[in-house]
């Protein structure tokens, strides 16, 4: 039987996700990619295709199985459509549930009230059948039910993922607001990085970008260290799930390092090392404590720098605390820019930031900028091509004493 799925992702990564699901579909006769919409990708396939996407997708936030879709004019229409679904075929009355609702341009006054109506419909269905209703658990539910409203139609989904997919199960500790894993994976894909290409993150923080790259290099699927919502479905096919996991063949370990990281903070370096270990990385990823404006190329072959520069606070870890943050940032980016120009000819530099004025601070012209959203925060991935000869121009200038 073919099911319809919707895979949400961070905004800006829809094309990357569609491409990724297309690659996953090469190992399945039934998985088909359909259209991209803002915030995700529609696809269809068998139930075991949802197991496959959950295991392998680095970019999706969840894999939602569509139960029903219809037009609506008020909350009662939403209640009726939800009540009509055969929830009892998917989970038991003893499973706990949680309902989430998102809306774009919906005419309904209260999303909280509508969410309540969806929950009531699911519970009433069970009560009509078994004189008993499932309990709500908002923190660790067995089943997540997701509603989506636009101006005219209501779609109700059952979440096959459980916890959001960016929670890979390896993260032990994080710095301040780390980059989400699926966003880091999407940035790697958009930057054009492929295994074997040198990758350097000079402000690596807790190591998210490097760990995503290291798992890709090792052939470790992002979902290999966690559990999923579909494992609690009544129709869960454990043998099929096991065979999908058994298909995974790890890659041979690289003999020489191609992934490198550094950070101003020694605590961050320790954290990144711990996270690499807990993500199952069994090869060397050299990490160094050094300020970003002091770094040198970690390899003789030009590669890709991909980093998410810190905002304000972390720039000043060992900076001059008497300086206001914006002056500190200006000084930092000015000297980081000089380092890039003088020491990294031939490298492609990608900076992911919410600071849209970054090229101006670096005094560099970007060759491309791609808009993204990190949650609700508008960001850009700026690409700068370090042309050989920057350094000669800098050195040819008359020295001012």
């Amino acid at each position: 039987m073919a099911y319809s799925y919707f895979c949400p992702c961070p905004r800006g990564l829809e094309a990357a996700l569609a491409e990724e699901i297309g690659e996953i579909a090469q190992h399945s006769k039934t998985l088909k990619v359909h259209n991209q919409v803002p915030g995700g990708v529609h696809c269809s396939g068998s139930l075991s295709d949802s197991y496959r996407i959950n295991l392998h997708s680095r970019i999706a936030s969840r894999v939602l199985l569509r139960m029903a879709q219809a037009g609506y004019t008020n909350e009662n229409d939403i209640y009726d459509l939800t009540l009509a679904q055969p929830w009892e075929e998917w989970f038991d009355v003893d499973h706990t549930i949680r309902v989430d609702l998102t809306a774009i341009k919906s005419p309904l006054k209260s999303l909280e009230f509508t969410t309540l109506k969806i929950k009531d419909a699911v519970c009433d269905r069970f009560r009509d059948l078994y004189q008993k209703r499932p309990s709500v658990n908002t923190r660790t539910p067995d089943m997540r039910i997701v509603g989506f409203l636009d101006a005219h139609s209501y779609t109700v989904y059952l979440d096959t993922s459980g916890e959001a997919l960016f929670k890979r199960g390896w993260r032990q500790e994080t710095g301040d607001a780390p980059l989400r894993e699926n966003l880091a994976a999407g940035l790697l894909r958009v930057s054009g990085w492929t295994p074997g290409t040198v990758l350097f993150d000079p402000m690596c923080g807790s190591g998210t970008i490097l760990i995503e790259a290291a798992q890709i290099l090792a052939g470790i699927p992002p979902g290999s260290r966690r559990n999923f919502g579909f494992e609690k479905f009544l129709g869960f096919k454990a043998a099929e799930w096991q065979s999908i996991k058994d298909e995974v063949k790890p890659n041979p370990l690289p003999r020489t390092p191609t992934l490198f990281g550094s950070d101003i903070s020694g605590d961050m370096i320790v954290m990144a090392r711990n996270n690499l270990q807990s993500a199952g990385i069994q090869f060397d990823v050299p990490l160094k404590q050094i300020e970003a404006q002091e770094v040198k190329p970690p390899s003789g072959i030009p590669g890709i720098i991909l980093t998410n520069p810190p905002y304000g606070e972390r720039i000043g870890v060992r900076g001059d605390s008497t300086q206001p943050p914006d002056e500190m940032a200006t000084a930092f980016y000015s000297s980081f820019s000089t380092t890039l120009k003088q020491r990294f000819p031939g490298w492609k530099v990608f900076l992911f930031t919410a600071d849209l004025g970054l090229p101006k601070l670096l005094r560099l012209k970007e060759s491309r900028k791609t808009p993204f959203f990190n949650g609700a925060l508008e960001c850009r991935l700026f690409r700068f091509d370090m042309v050989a000869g920057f350094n000669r121009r800098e050195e040819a200038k008359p020295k001012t004493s």
Side-chain angles (χ1 to χ4, degrees), residues 231-279:
E231 294 175 66
K232 293 180 177 170
F233 286 178
L234 293 180
F236 173 55
K237 300 182 177 75
E240 265 183 50
W241 174 225
Q242 193 53 52
S243 78
I244 287 169
K245 288 197 286 189
D246 291 344
E247 283 169 19
V248 175
K249 299 286 179 278
N251 297 332
L253 298 183
R255 288 161 190 263
T256 53
T258 54
L259 307 177
F260 303 89
S262 62
D263 198 273
I264 190 174
S265 155
D267 292 347
M268 284 293 180
I269 294 295
V270 170
M271 205 184 284
R273 280 210 180 97
N274 292 344
N275 283 334
L276 277 158
Q277 200 177 350
S278 120

Side-chain angles (χ1 to χ4, degrees), residues 9-284:
C9 67
R11 276 171 61 197
L13 285 177
E14 297 86 356
L17 174 58
E19 184 179 275
E20 180 189 61
I21 298 172
E23 288 162 17
I24 296 168
Q26 289 168 8
H27 303 277
S28 158
K29 292 189 172 76
T30 44
L31 179 55
K32 306 243 182 325
V33 184
H34 301 299
N35 55 323
Q36 299 168 37
V37 295
V41 175
H42 289 282
C43 56
S44 65
S46 65
L47 199 53
S48 57
D49 285 326
S50 71
Y51 304 175
R52 205 178 281 279
I53 302 171
N54 275 297
L55 178 65
H56 289 288
S57 177
R58 295 188 175 276
I59 299 173
S61 306
R62 298 181 175 278
V63 182
L64 304 177
L65 178 135
R66 190 169 84 189
M67 299 288 289
Q69 184 175 34
Y72 72 97
T73 51
N74 57 35
E75 291 85 358
N76 294 336
D77 297 336
I78 288 166
Y79 174 90
D80 292 342
L81 187 68
T82 310
L83 182 70
Q85 302 316 306
W87 302 106
E88 70 285 353
E89 291 173 14
W90 292 93
F91 59 91
D92 273 327
V93 68
D94 297 324
H95 281 119
T96 55
I97 64 167
R98 168 184 171 136
V99 175
D100 289 286
L101 180 63
T102 48
I104 296 172
K105 298 182 176 161
S106 167
L108 299 182
K109 297 282 178 286
S110 164
L111 285 189
E112 279 175 37
F113 179 65
T114 313
T115 307
L116 214 54
K117 292 292 271 190
I118 297 170
K119 176 195 67 80
D120 286 346
V122 177
C123 291
D124 289 351
R125 170 119 191 159
F126 278 98
R127 204 182 48 208
D128 293 347
L129 287 166
Y130 309 113
Q131 288 68 59
K132 199 175 159 191
R133 50 186 293 163
S135 303
V136 171
N137 177 339
T138 52
R139 294 212 43 194
T140 53
D142 298 316
M143 296 293 148
R144 292 168 185 263
I145 291 148
V146 177
F148 175 72
L149 297 170
D150 62 20
H152 308 289
S153 66
Y154 164 59
T155 316
V156 61
Y157 298 98
L158 184 58
D159 183 356
T160 69
S161 302
E163 284 268 42
L165 293 181
F166 69 82
K167 297 183 179 173
R168 311 282 203 229
W170 54 254
R171 196 184 278 288
Q172 299 181 333
E173 45 194 345
T174 58
D176 314 329
L179 198 62
R180 281 188 172 174
E181 291 78 345
N182 60 338
L183 189 50
L187 296 176
L188 279 165
R189 186 175 278 261
V190 172
S191 76
W193 176 81
T194 50
T197 307
V198 171
L199 178 73
F200 177 34
D201 183 347
M203 298 174 244
C204 70
S206 58
T208 312
I209 290 171
L210 293 172
I211 290 164
E212 287 298 313
Q215 284 201 332
I216 293 167
L217 201 52
I220 300 171
S224 59
R225 286 178 144 59
R226 52 162 285 168
N227 299 99
F228 297 98
F230 62 74
E231 294 175 66
K232 293 180 177 170
F233 286 178
L234 293 180
F236 173 55
K237 300 182 177 75
E240 265 183 50
W241 174 225
Q242 193 53 52
S243 78
I244 287 169
K245 288 197 286 189
D246 291 344
E247 283 169 19
V248 175
K249 299 286 179 278
N251 297 332
L253 298 183
R255 288 161 190 263
T256 53
T258 54
L259 307 177
F260 303 89
S262 62
D263 198 273
I264 190 174
S265 155
D267 292 347
M268 284 293 180
I269 294 295
V270 170
M271 205 184 284
R273 280 210 180 97
N274 292 344
N275 283 334
L276 277 158
Q277 200 177 350
S278 120
I281 303 308
Q282 293 172 357
F283 55 87
D284 185 29

Side-chain angles (χ1 to χ4, degrees), residues 306-328:
L306 173 60
T307 196
N308 173 213
Y311 312 123
E313 291 304 306
R314 290 230 344 267
I315 288 175
V317 169
R318 289 209 306 274
D320 178 357
S321 56
T322 57
Q323 276 190 306
D326 46 352
E327 278 177 31
M328 204 151 62

